[in-house]
Amino acid sequence: MRKSGTLVAATAAALFLGISVAFATSGAHFFSATSSVANNGALVVSWDEAGVGQQQVNYRLTADGTATYACINGGGNHPKASNKENVSGPLSSPITGFQPENGRVQGSLSVGPLGAGSFSCPSGQTFVLACVSYSNLVLRDLTNNVIANPAPVQKTFVNTAGCP
């Protein structure tokens, strides 16, 4: 009886230690995740995540985006006519892998802007992206099941009605 009791205790201790080690190595966490808008209107999220181990880490960026396209006349003004187009919808980056360095990933992903569809300008006017905004930003570390929620961002390129 004494041998089987010792074996049970040793097995239980090994299982306990094994589970503890498994949890101790899954300490992935974001130090930071910041959002910005590039000059082409794309959402850019940059991050710093540690505790990810040494294997490739896969990420996906999602957001809700809005873009306003407008027509600008030869004088550089947006006519008061209704020649602008607002588009909105969800955006998602492809799943992208990053190789950690010393258990840490510092990277960035971008998405957008949404396209204008079939919107076009009349002759003599220039087609422009007037403004963009991004909300509900979610950066997912799919490998370690960790998320970050960077702040919403917006940027105005051309002052026109409908842009902040």
Side-chain angles (χ1 to χ4, degrees), residues 129-145:
L129 174 60
C131 59
V132 294
S133 65
Y134 299 98
S135 60
N136 300 319
L137 283 63
V138 179
L139 175 64
R140 295 182 192 281
D141 167 345
L142 299 167
T143 305
N144 297 293
N145 197 27

Side-chain angles (χ1 to χ4, degrees), residues 43-70:
L43 167 65
V44 178
V45 171
S46 299
W47 71 90
D48 184 354
E49 183 184 23
V52 297
Q54 297 304 316
Q55 300 301 315
Q56 176 177 298
V57 181
N58 295 316
Y59 295 89
R60 174 173 276 159
L61 173 63
T62 60
D64 292 330
T66 300
T68 299
Y69 291 90

Side-chain angles (χ1 to χ4, degrees), residues 7 14 34 36 42 81:
L7 181 59
T34 59
S36 62

Side-chain angles (χ1 to χ4, degrees), residues 45-123:
V45 171
S46 299
W47 71 90
D48 184 354
E49 183 184 23
V52 297
Q54 297 304 316
Q55 300 301 315
Q56 176 177 298
V57 181
N58 295 316
Y59 295 89
R60 174 173 276 159
L61 173 63
T62 60
D64 292 330
T66 300
T68 299
Y69 291 90
C71 298
I72 304 299
N73 64 23
N77 298 311
H78 177 255
K80 298 298 179 201
S82 61
N83 57 353
K84 68 178 182 196
E85 179 74 13
N86 294 315
V87 291
S88 61
L91 293 162
S92 181
S93 74
I95 295 173
T96 306
F98 288 80
Q99 188 61 43
E101 187 171 317
N102 297 321
R104 190 172 186 174
V105 173
Q106 295 173 308
S108 63
L109 286 173
S110 64
V111 294
L114 293 164
S118 61
F119 178 71
S120 63
C121 296
S123 178

